[in-house]
Amino acid sequence: GEGPCYDFSGDGWVSRMLSTGQGGKGLAPGVEGSDFRGDGVAALTATGDEEGEDDEGWSAKLEAQAGEFKRVLREEMERGRADFERRSREIRERYAPPASGAGGEEDVLEALRRSERVMKRRVKASQDACNKSRKELEFSRGLLENLRMNEWKVEVRKLEEELEIVRRDGNKEIEKMNERVEGLMRMLDGG
């Protein structure tokens, strides 16, 4: 399938390779057509946004990434279950009790127990990967919220500076008007 997959022969995730859609893994990060850096996260600018995108686009990308992680986990768990069932059938067939019925059942049970332990490790690895993805998503959401708050703080500071300039200029104008009024009052008193 396309997207990240579990490498059963290597007993680990192959989550950093992309499927070429032409029957194999091999579209490495940085290759034309890939918008990933290599660690599975879209490249960010200094402001935290992808170049040319607004906050809603960034949020949509985070939600899409979370959906992708959920989809991958679900697919991997289904593949793991199918693989477990396939292996169980193979073991049953391989260790089918001989015609005399002597000792084969214990071998089958032991093989099934080993397979169960392997599958439990794989499920645990899948759950850990999902939990890590959730933590990364929450971190990204918090980062986005902090960026939004910082933008507001900068705007408030600019407005406060402009207000202070208007107050100073207004006070100067009031002083000038007071001087004119005093001059007019002196003229009226003297004349």
Side-chain angles (χ1 to χ4, degrees), residues 70-103:
K70 288 177 187 175
R71 183 191 63 78
V72 167
L73 179 61
R74 185 176 42 256
E75 288 177 1
E76 290 308 315
M77 291 181 82
E78 290 171 2
R79 284 185 196 135
R81 185 184 69 229
D83 186 59
F84 177 77
E85 291 171 357
R86 180 186 55 80
R87 288 182 183 193
S88 295
R89 278 192 308 274
E90 290 173 1
I91 290 170
R92 277 190 221 108
E93 292 170 5
R94 189 181 317 151
Y95 295 104
S100 64

PDB file of all heavy atoms in Angstrom, residues 70-103:
ATOM      1  N   LYS A  70      -3.866   8.260  12.183  1.00  0.00           N
ATOM      2  CA  LYS A  70      -4.917   7.337  12.613  1.00  0.00           C
ATOM      3  C   LYS A  70      -5.155   6.264  11.544  1.00  0.00           C
ATOM      4  O   LYS A  70      -5.303   5.087  11.850  1.00  0.00           O
ATOM      5  CB  LYS A  70      -6.213   8.097  12.886  1.00  0.00           C
ATOM      6  CG  LYS A  70      -6.157   8.934  14.133  1.00  0.00           C
ATOM      7  CD  LYS A  70      -7.453   9.718  14.302  1.00  0.00           C
ATOM      8  CE  LYS A  70      -7.355  10.684  15.456  1.00  0.00           C
ATOM      9  NZ  LYS A  70      -8.548  11.516  15.555  1.00  0.00           N
ATOM     10  N   ARG A  71      -5.202   6.698  10.288  1.00  0.00           N
ATOM     11  CA  ARG A  71      -5.427   5.760   9.189  1.00  0.00           C
ATOM     12  C   ARG A  71      -4.301   4.725   9.114  1.00  0.00           C
ATOM     13  O   ARG A  71      -4.543   3.532   8.994  1.00  0.00           O
ATOM     14  CB  ARG A  71      -5.527   6.512   7.861  1.00  0.00           C
ATOM     15  CG  ARG A  71      -5.842   5.594   6.675  1.00  0.00           C
ATOM     16  CD  ARG A  71      -5.678   6.305   5.343  1.00  0.00           C
ATOM     17  NE  ARG A  71      -4.325   6.744   5.085  1.00  0.00           N
ATOM     18  CZ  ARG A  71      -3.325   5.962   4.680  1.00  0.00           C
ATOM     19  NH1 ARG A  71      -3.530   4.678   4.484  1.00  0.00           N
ATOM     20  NH2 ARG A  71      -2.124   6.456   4.462  1.00  0.00           N
ATOM     21  N   VAL A  72      -3.071   5.196   9.233  1.00  0.00           N
ATOM     22  CA  VAL A  72      -1.916   4.291   9.163  1.00  0.00           C
ATOM     23  C   VAL A  72      -1.969   3.285  10.313  1.00  0.00           C
ATOM     24  O   VAL A  72      -1.740   2.090  10.105  1.00  0.00           O
ATOM     25  CB  VAL A  72      -0.597   5.095   9.189  1.00  0.00           C
ATOM     26  CG1 VAL A  72       0.586   4.185   9.431  1.00  0.00           C
ATOM     27  CG2 VAL A  72      -0.424   5.869   7.899  1.00  0.00           C
ATOM     28  N   LEU A  73      -2.268   3.764  11.508  1.00  0.00           N
ATOM     29  CA  LEU A  73      -2.330   2.853  12.653  1.00  0.00           C
ATOM     30  C   LEU A  73      -3.407   1.794  12.440  1.00  0.00           C
ATOM     31  O   LEU A  73      -3.166   0.610  12.673  1.00  0.00           O
ATOM     32  CB  LEU A  73      -2.599   3.636  13.943  1.00  0.00           C
ATOM     33  CG  LEU A  73      -2.702   2.791  15.206  1.00  0.00           C
ATOM     34  CD1 LEU A  73      -1.398   2.053  15.464  1.00  0.00           C
ATOM     35  CD2 LEU A  73      -3.061   3.671  16.386  1.00  0.00           C
ATOM     36  N   ARG A  74      -4.574   2.213  11.980  1.00  0.00           N
ATOM     37  CA  ARG A  74      -5.668   1.267  11.747  1.00  0.00           C
ATOM     38  C   ARG A  74      -5.261   0.234  10.693  1.00  0.00           C
ATOM     39  O   ARG A  74      -5.450  -0.966  10.885  1.00  0.00           O
ATOM     40  CB  ARG A  74      -6.929   2.019  11.311  1.00  0.00           C
ATOM     41  CG  ARG A  74      -8.139   1.135  11.154  1.00  0.00           C
ATOM     42  CD  ARG A  74      -9.438   1.881  10.822  1.00  0.00           C
ATOM     43  NE  ARG A  74      -9.306   2.952   9.855  1.00  0.00           N
ATOM     44  CZ  ARG A  74      -9.307   4.258  10.148  1.00  0.00           C
ATOM     45  NH1 ARG A  74      -9.480   4.648  11.393  1.00  0.00           N
ATOM     46  NH2 ARG A  74      -9.183   5.174   9.214  1.00  0.00           N
ATOM     47  N   GLU A  75      -4.664   0.688   9.601  1.00  0.00           N
ATOM     48  CA  GLU A  75      -4.232  -0.240   8.556  1.00  0.00           C
ATOM     49  C   GLU A  75      -3.184  -1.223   9.074  1.00  0.00           C
ATOM     50  O   GLU A  75      -3.226  -2.407   8.770  1.00  0.00           O
ATOM     51  CB  GLU A  75      -3.663   0.526   7.360  1.00  0.00           C
ATOM     52  CG  GLU A  75      -4.709   1.236   6.544  1.00  0.00           C
ATOM     53  CD  GLU A  75      -4.090   2.043   5.406  1.00  0.00           C
ATOM     54  OE1 GLU A  75      -2.866   2.040   5.238  1.00  0.00           O
ATOM     55  OE2 GLU A  75      -4.873   2.687   4.698  1.00  0.00           O
ATOM     56  N   GLU A  76      -2.241  -0.708   9.853  1.00  0.00           N
ATOM     57  CA  GLU A  76      -1.178  -1.568  10.367  1.00  0.00           C
ATOM     58  C   GLU A  76      -1.719  -2.596  11.345  1.00  0.00           C
ATOM     59  O   GLU A  76      -1.272  -3.744  11.362  1.00  0.00           O
ATOM     60  CB  GLU A  76      -0.066  -0.739  11.014  1.00  0.00           C
ATOM     61  CG  GLU A  76       0.742   0.061  10.026  1.00  0.00           C
ATOM     62  CD  GLU A  76       1.281  -0.780   8.888  1.00  0.00           C
ATOM     63  OE1 GLU A  76       1.808  -1.886   9.135  1.00  0.00           O
ATOM     64  OE2 GLU A  76       1.160  -0.348   7.736  1.00  0.00           O
ATOM     65  N   MET A  77      -2.685  -2.196  12.147  1.00  0.00           N
ATOM     66  CA  MET A  77      -3.263  -3.155  13.079  1.00  0.00           C
ATOM     67  C   MET A  77      -4.029  -4.237  12.310  1.00  0.00           C
ATOM     68  O   MET A  77      -3.960  -5.423  12.665  1.00  0.00           O
ATOM     69  CB  MET A  77      -4.155  -2.442  14.090  1.00  0.00           C
ATOM     70  CG  MET A  77      -3.339  -1.575  15.050  1.00  0.00           C
ATOM     71  SD  MET A  77      -4.335  -0.740  16.261  1.00  0.00           S
ATOM     72  CE  MET A  77      -4.526  -2.038  17.441  1.00  0.00           C
ATOM     73  N   GLU A  78      -4.733  -3.858  11.236  1.00  0.00           N
ATOM     74  CA  GLU A  78      -5.432  -4.848  10.420  1.00  0.00           C
ATOM     75  C   GLU A  78      -4.435  -5.770   9.720  1.00  0.00           C
ATOM     76  O   GLU A  78      -4.640  -6.991   9.674  1.00  0.00           O
ATOM     77  CB  GLU A  78      -6.316  -4.140   9.388  1.00  0.00           C
ATOM     78  CG  GLU A  78      -7.512  -3.448   9.996  1.00  0.00           C
ATOM     79  CD  GLU A  78      -8.265  -2.567   9.021  1.00  0.00           C
ATOM     80  OE1 GLU A  78      -7.887  -2.504   7.837  1.00  0.00           O
ATOM     81  OE2 GLU A  78      -9.237  -1.958   9.455  1.00  0.00           O
ATOM     82  N   ARG A  79      -3.364  -5.202   9.203  1.00  0.00           N
ATOM     83  CA  ARG A  79      -2.332  -6.036   8.568  1.00  0.00           C
ATOM     84  C   ARG A  79      -1.702  -6.979   9.590  1.00  0.00           C
ATOM     85  O   ARG A  79      -1.421  -8.137   9.280  1.00  0.00           O
ATOM     86  CB  ARG A  79      -1.243  -5.161   7.953  1.00  0.00           C
ATOM     87  CG  ARG A  79      -1.655  -4.505   6.678  1.00  0.00           C
ATOM     88  CD  ARG A  79      -0.483  -3.762   6.058  1.00  0.00           C
ATOM     89  NE  ARG A  79      -0.974  -2.840   5.061  1.00  0.00           N
ATOM     90  CZ  ARG A  79      -0.572  -1.593   4.926  1.00  0.00           C
ATOM     91  NH1 ARG A  79       0.364  -1.117   5.714  1.00  0.00           N
ATOM     92  NH2 ARG A  79      -1.075  -0.817   4.000  1.00  0.00           N
ATOM     93  N   GLY A  80      -1.451  -6.467  10.785  1.00  0.00           N
ATOM     94  CA  GLY A  80      -0.869  -7.302  11.828  1.00  0.00           C
ATOM     95  C   GLY A  80      -1.778  -8.458  12.194  1.00  0.00           C
ATOM     96  O   GLY A  80      -1.317  -9.596  12.357  1.00  0.00           O
ATOM     97  N   ARG A  81      -3.077  -8.174  12.302  1.00  0.00           N
ATOM     98  CA  ARG A  81      -4.030  -9.240  12.624  1.00  0.00           C
ATOM     99  C   ARG A  81      -4.066 -10.276  11.504  1.00  0.00           C
ATOM    100  O   ARG A  81      -4.021 -11.480  11.752  1.00  0.00           O
ATOM    101  CB  ARG A  81      -5.427  -8.668  12.857  1.00  0.00           C
ATOM    102  CG  ARG A  81      -6.412  -9.752  13.322  1.00  0.00           C
ATOM    103  CD  ARG A  81      -7.825  -9.254  13.478  1.00  0.00           C
ATOM    104  NE  ARG A  81      -8.346  -8.966  12.146  1.00  0.00           N
ATOM    105  CZ  ARG A  81      -8.956  -7.834  11.811  1.00  0.00           C
ATOM    106  NH1 ARG A  81      -9.130  -6.901  12.698  1.00  0.00           N
ATOM    107  NH2 ARG A  81      -9.388  -7.644  10.588  1.00  0.00           N
ATOM    108  N   ALA A  82      -4.105  -9.811  10.256  1.00  0.00           N
ATOM    109  CA  ALA A  82      -4.126 -10.737   9.120  1.00  0.00           C
ATOM    110  C   ALA A  82      -2.846 -11.571   9.092  1.00  0.00           C
ATOM    111  O   ALA A  82      -2.891 -12.783   8.837  1.00  0.00           O
ATOM    112  CB  ALA A  82      -4.296  -9.964   7.814  1.00  0.00           C
ATOM    113  N   ASP A  83      -1.708 -10.925   9.364  1.00  0.00           N
ATOM    114  CA  ASP A  83      -0.436 -11.654   9.389  1.00  0.00           C
ATOM    115  C   ASP A  83      -0.430 -12.683  10.513  1.00  0.00           C
ATOM    116  O   ASP A  83       0.044 -13.806  10.335  1.00  0.00           O
ATOM    117  CB  ASP A  83       0.725 -10.678   9.547  1.00  0.00           C
ATOM    118  CG  ASP A  83       2.059 -11.378   9.436  1.00  0.00           C
ATOM    119  OD1 ASP A  83       2.326 -12.005   8.386  1.00  0.00           O
ATOM    120  OD2 ASP A  83       2.849 -11.293  10.393  1.00  0.00           O
ATOM    121  N   PHE A  84      -0.957 -12.306  11.667  1.00  0.00           N
ATOM    122  CA  PHE A  84      -1.025 -13.242  12.793  1.00  0.00           C
ATOM    123  C   PHE A  84      -1.887 -14.446  12.430  1.00  0.00           C
ATOM    124  O   PHE A  84      -1.510 -15.602  12.683  1.00  0.00           O
ATOM    125  CB  PHE A  84      -1.590 -12.541  14.028  1.00  0.00           C
ATOM    126  CG  PHE A  84      -1.767 -13.452  15.198  1.00  0.00           C
ATOM    127  CD1 PHE A  84      -0.670 -13.837  15.961  1.00  0.00           C
ATOM    128  CD2 PHE A  84      -3.010 -13.942  15.541  1.00  0.00           C
ATOM    129  CE1 PHE A  84      -0.826 -14.691  17.034  1.00  0.00           C
ATOM    130  CE2 PHE A  84      -3.179 -14.786  16.620  1.00  0.00           C
ATOM    131  CZ  PHE A  84      -2.082 -15.173  17.365  1.00  0.00           C
ATOM    132  N   GLU A  85      -3.031 -14.198  11.800  1.00  0.00           N
ATOM    133  CA  GLU A  85      -3.905 -15.305  11.425  1.00  0.00           C
ATOM    134  C   GLU A  85      -3.236 -16.199  10.379  1.00  0.00           C
ATOM    135  O   GLU A  85      -3.328 -17.429  10.460  1.00  0.00           O
ATOM    136  CB  GLU A  85      -5.235 -14.761  10.896  1.00  0.00           C
ATOM    137  CG  GLU A  85      -6.067 -14.103  11.974  1.00  0.00           C
ATOM    138  CD  GLU A  85      -7.280 -13.378  11.429  1.00  0.00           C
ATOM    139  OE1 GLU A  85      -7.468 -13.331  10.204  1.00  0.00           O
ATOM    140  OE2 GLU A  85      -8.039 -12.857  12.260  1.00  0.00           O
ATOM    141  N   ARG A  86      -2.553 -15.588   9.416  1.00  0.00           N
ATOM    142  CA  ARG A  86      -1.849 -16.363   8.395  1.00  0.00           C
ATOM    143  C   ARG A  86      -0.771 -17.235   9.026  1.00  0.00           C
ATOM    144  O   ARG A  86      -0.664 -18.427   8.753  1.00  0.00           O
ATOM    145  CB  ARG A  86      -1.226 -15.429   7.353  1.00  0.00           C
ATOM    146  CG  ARG A  86      -0.471 -16.161   6.244  1.00  0.00           C
ATOM    147  CD  ARG A  86       0.241 -15.203   5.316  1.00  0.00           C
ATOM    148  NE  ARG A  86       1.144 -14.279   5.982  1.00  0.00           N
ATOM    149  CZ  ARG A  86       2.381 -14.574   6.391  1.00  0.00           C
ATOM    150  NH1 ARG A  86       2.854 -15.783   6.230  1.00  0.00           N
ATOM    151  NH2 ARG A  86       3.139 -13.669   6.980  1.00  0.00           N
ATOM    152  N   ARG A  87       0.010 -16.617   9.913  1.00  0.00           N
ATOM    153  CA  ARG A  87       1.077 -17.374  10.579  1.00  0.00           C
ATOM    154  C   ARG A  87       0.510 -18.483  11.471  1.00  0.00           C
ATOM    155  O   ARG A  87       1.093 -19.561  11.573  1.00  0.00           O
ATOM    156  CB  ARG A  87       1.967 -16.446  11.393  1.00  0.00           C
ATOM    157  CG  ARG A  87       2.843 -15.582  10.522  1.00  0.00           C
ATOM    158  CD  ARG A  87       3.742 -14.725  11.339  1.00  0.00           C
ATOM    159  NE  ARG A  87       4.542 -13.846  10.493  1.00  0.00           N
ATOM    160  CZ  ARG A  87       5.584 -13.173  10.924  1.00  0.00           C
ATOM    161  NH1 ARG A  87       5.953 -13.262  12.182  1.00  0.00           N
ATOM    162  NH2 ARG A  87       6.251 -12.403  10.103  1.00  0.00           N
ATOM    163  N   SER A  88      -0.599 -18.206  12.103  1.00  0.00           N
ATOM    164  CA  SER A  88      -1.235 -19.229  12.947  1.00  0.00           C
ATOM    165  C   SER A  88      -1.641 -20.431  12.106  1.00  0.00           C
ATOM    166  O   SER A  88      -1.434 -21.582  12.512  1.00  0.00           O
ATOM    167  CB  SER A  88      -2.462 -18.661  13.649  1.00  0.00           C
ATOM    168  OG  SER A  88      -2.100 -17.659  14.538  1.00  0.00           O
ATOM    169  N   ARG A  89      -2.221 -20.166  10.924  1.00  0.00           N
ATOM    170  CA  ARG A  89      -2.597 -21.271  10.031  1.00  0.00           C
ATOM    171  C   ARG A  89      -1.366 -22.067   9.602  1.00  0.00           C
ATOM    172  O   ARG A  89      -1.373 -23.296   9.593  1.00  0.00           O
ATOM    173  CB  ARG A  89      -3.318 -20.724   8.795  1.00  0.00           C
ATOM    174  CG  ARG A  89      -4.788 -20.448   9.002  1.00  0.00           C
ATOM    175  CD  ARG A  89      -5.499 -20.202   7.681  1.00  0.00           C
ATOM    176  NE  ARG A  89      -4.861 -19.180   6.848  1.00  0.00           N
ATOM    177  CZ  ARG A  89      -5.078 -17.870   6.933  1.00  0.00           C
ATOM    178  NH1 ARG A  89      -5.922 -17.413   7.837  1.00  0.00           N
ATOM    179  NH2 ARG A  89      -4.466 -17.028   6.126  1.00  0.00           N
ATOM    180  N   GLU A  90      -0.296 -21.333   9.242  1.00  0.00           N
ATOM    181  CA  GLU A  90       0.933 -22.012   8.819  1.00  0.00           C
ATOM    182  C   GLU A  90       1.479 -22.899   9.938  1.00  0.00           C
ATOM    183  O   GLU A  90       1.913 -24.029   9.701  1.00  0.00           O
ATOM    184  CB  GLU A  90       1.998 -20.989   8.405  1.00  0.00           C
ATOM    185  CG  GLU A  90       1.684 -20.269   7.121  1.00  0.00           C
ATOM    186  CD  GLU A  90       2.676 -19.148   6.816  1.00  0.00           C
ATOM    187  OE1 GLU A  90       3.622 -18.942   7.606  1.00  0.00           O
ATOM    188  OE2 GLU A  90       2.485 -18.489   5.795  1.00  0.00           O
ATOM    189  N   ILE A  91       1.453 -22.368  11.163  1.00  0.00           N
ATOM    190  CA  ILE A  91       1.976 -23.144  12.297  1.00  0.00           C
ATOM    191  C   ILE A  91       1.110 -24.365  12.540  1.00  0.00           C
ATOM    192  O   ILE A  91       1.624 -25.467  12.775  1.00  0.00           O
ATOM    193  CB  ILE A  91       2.072 -22.251  13.550  1.00  0.00           C
ATOM    194  CG1 ILE A  91       3.190 -21.223  13.360  1.00  0.00           C
ATOM    195  CG2 ILE A  91       2.292 -23.080  14.800  1.00  0.00           C
ATOM    196  CD1 ILE A  91       3.223 -20.150  14.423  1.00  0.00           C
ATOM    197  N   ARG A  92      -0.204 -24.172  12.468  1.00  0.00           N
ATOM    198  CA  ARG A  92      -1.093 -25.320  12.679  1.00  0.00           C
ATOM    199  C   ARG A  92      -0.832 -26.404  11.630  1.00  0.00           C
ATOM    200  O   ARG A  92      -0.803 -27.590  11.939  1.00  0.00           O
ATOM    201  CB  ARG A  92      -2.553 -24.874  12.623  1.00  0.00           C
ATOM    202  CG  ARG A  92      -3.046 -24.312  13.914  1.00  0.00           C
ATOM    203  CD  ARG A  92      -4.572 -24.116  13.897  1.00  0.00           C
ATOM    204  NE  ARG A  92      -4.830 -22.854  14.554  1.00  0.00           N
ATOM    205  CZ  ARG A  92      -5.230 -21.733  13.965  1.00  0.00           C
ATOM    206  NH1 ARG A  92      -5.478 -21.706  12.689  1.00  0.00           N
ATOM    207  NH2 ARG A  92      -5.417 -20.636  14.657  1.00  0.00           N
ATOM    208  N   GLU A  93      -0.654 -25.947  10.379  1.00  0.00           N
ATOM    209  CA  GLU A  93      -0.406 -26.918   9.310  1.00  0.00           C
ATOM    210  C   GLU A  93       0.957 -27.599   9.492  1.00  0.00           C
ATOM    211  O   GLU A  93       1.094 -28.800   9.292  1.00  0.00           O
ATOM    212  CB  GLU A  93      -0.465 -26.232   7.943  1.00  0.00           C
ATOM    213  CG  GLU A  93      -1.851 -25.761   7.572  1.00  0.00           C
ATOM    214  CD  GLU A  93      -1.862 -24.868   6.339  1.00  0.00           C
ATOM    215  OE1 GLU A  93      -0.808 -24.680   5.708  1.00  0.00           O
ATOM    216  OE2 GLU A  93      -2.957 -24.373   6.032  1.00  0.00           O
ATOM    217  N   ARG A  94       1.963 -26.800   9.851  1.00  0.00           N
ATOM    218  CA  ARG A  94       3.318 -27.334  10.008  1.00  0.00           C
ATOM    219  C   ARG A  94       3.387 -28.312  11.168  1.00  0.00           C
ATOM    220  O   ARG A  94       4.087 -29.327  11.103  1.00  0.00           O
ATOM    221  CB  ARG A  94       4.304 -26.192  10.243  1.00  0.00           C
ATOM    222  CG  ARG A  94       5.748 -26.654  10.208  1.00  0.00           C
ATOM    223  CD  ARG A  94       6.742 -25.541  10.450  1.00  0.00           C
ATOM    224  NE  ARG A  94       6.416 -24.331   9.732  1.00  0.00           N
ATOM    225  CZ  ARG A  94       6.739 -23.100  10.143  1.00  0.00           C
ATOM    226  NH1 ARG A  94       7.399 -22.942  11.265  1.00  0.00           N
ATOM    227  NH2 ARG A  94       6.401 -22.042   9.442  1.00  0.00           N
ATOM    228  N   TYR A  95       2.704 -27.988  12.246  1.00  0.00           N
ATOM    229  CA  TYR A  95       2.782 -28.821  13.448  1.00  0.00           C
ATOM    230  C   TYR A  95       1.511 -29.640  13.661  1.00  0.00           C
ATOM    231  O   TYR A  95       1.133 -29.931  14.795  1.00  0.00           O
ATOM    232  CB  TYR A  95       3.060 -27.960  14.680  1.00  0.00           C
ATOM    233  CG  TYR A  95       4.408 -27.291  14.623  1.00  0.00           C
ATOM    234  CD1 TYR A  95       4.525 -25.952  14.326  1.00  0.00           C
ATOM    235  CD2 TYR A  95       5.569 -28.020  14.851  1.00  0.00           C
ATOM    236  CE1 TYR A  95       5.755 -25.331  14.256  1.00  0.00           C
ATOM    237  CE2 TYR A  95       6.808 -27.414  14.789  1.00  0.00           C
ATOM    238  CZ  TYR A  95       6.904 -26.081  14.481  1.00  0.00           C
ATOM    239  OH  TYR A  95       8.124 -25.470  14.416  1.00  0.00           O
ATOM    240  N   ALA A  96       0.863 -29.966  12.585  1.00  0.00           N
ATOM    241  CA  ALA A  96      -0.342 -30.791  12.709  1.00  0.00           C
ATOM    242  C   ALA A  96       0.040 -32.101  13.395  1.00  0.00           C
ATOM    243  O   ALA A  96       1.110 -32.667  13.121  1.00  0.00           O
ATOM    244  CB  ALA A  96      -0.940 -31.062  11.341  1.00  0.00           C
ATOM    245  N   PRO A  97      -0.793 -32.547  14.313  1.00  0.00           N
ATOM    246  CA  PRO A  97      -0.436 -33.773  15.036  1.00  0.00           C
ATOM    247  C   PRO A  97      -0.308 -34.950  14.061  1.00  0.00           C
ATOM    248  O   PRO A  97      -1.061 -35.062  13.109  1.00  0.00           O
ATOM    249  CB  PRO A  97      -1.599 -33.993  15.997  1.00  0.00           C
ATOM    250  CG  PRO A  97      -2.678 -33.089  15.571  1.00  0.00           C
ATOM    251  CD  PRO A  97      -2.084 -32.042  14.697  1.00  0.00           C
ATOM    252  N   PRO A  98       0.692 -35.755  14.313  1.00  0.00           N
ATOM    253  CA  PRO A  98       0.851 -36.939  13.459  1.00  0.00           C
ATOM    254  C   PRO A  98      -0.337 -37.877  13.621  1.00  0.00           C
ATOM    255  O   PRO A  98      -1.137 -37.723  14.534  1.00  0.00           O
ATOM    256  CB  PRO A  98       2.143 -37.589  13.959  1.00  0.00           C
ATOM    257  CG  PRO A  98       2.473 -36.946  15.257  1.00  0.00           C
ATOM    258  CD  PRO A  98       1.689 -35.670  15.335  1.00  0.00           C
ATOM    259  N   ALA A  99      -0.426 -38.810  12.751  1.00  0.00           N
ATOM    260  CA  ALA A  99      -1.559 -39.747  12.766  1.00  0.00           C
ATOM    261  C   ALA A  99      -1.695 -40.441  14.117  1.00  0.00           C
ATOM    262  O   ALA A  99      -2.791 -40.732  14.570  1.00  0.00           O
ATOM    263  CB  ALA A  99      -1.415 -40.782  11.649  1.00  0.00           C
ATOM    264  N   SER A 100      -0.562 -40.652  14.778  1.00  0.00           N
ATOM    265  CA  SER A 100      -0.636 -41.331  16.079  1.00  0.00           C
ATOM    266  C   SER A 100      -1.092 -40.381  17.176  1.00  0.00           C
ATOM    267  O   SER A 100      -1.478 -40.803  18.242  1.00  0.00           O
ATOM    268  CB  SER A 100       0.726 -41.934  16.436  1.00  0.00           C
ATOM    269  OG  SER A 100       1.674 -40.895  16.603  1.00  0.00           O
ATOM    270  N   GLY A 101      -1.023 -39.032  16.949  1.00  0.00           N
ATOM    271  CA  GLY A 101      -1.486 -38.050  17.920  1.00  0.00           C
ATOM    272  C   GLY A 101      -0.526 -37.793  19.050  1.00  0.00           C
ATOM    273  O   GLY A 101      -0.917 -37.289  20.098  1.00  0.00           O
ATOM    274  N   ALA A 102       0.758 -38.095  18.903  1.00  0.00           N
ATOM    275  CA  ALA A 102       1.713 -37.964  20.002  1.00  0.00           C
ATOM    276  C   ALA A 102       2.474 -36.646  19.941  1.00  0.00           C
ATOM    277  O   ALA A 102       3.143 -36.371  18.965  1.00  0.00           O
ATOM    278  CB  ALA A 102       2.692 -39.130  19.964  1.00  0.00           C
ATOM    279  N   GLY A 103       2.379 -35.800  20.985  1.00  0.00           N
ATOM    280  CA  GLY A 103       3.239 -34.650  21.247  1.00  0.00           C
ATOM    281  C   GLY A 103       3.137 -33.431  20.349  1.00  0.00           C
ATOM    282  O   GLY A 103       3.770 -32.443  20.619  1.00  0.00           O
TER     283      GLY A 103
END
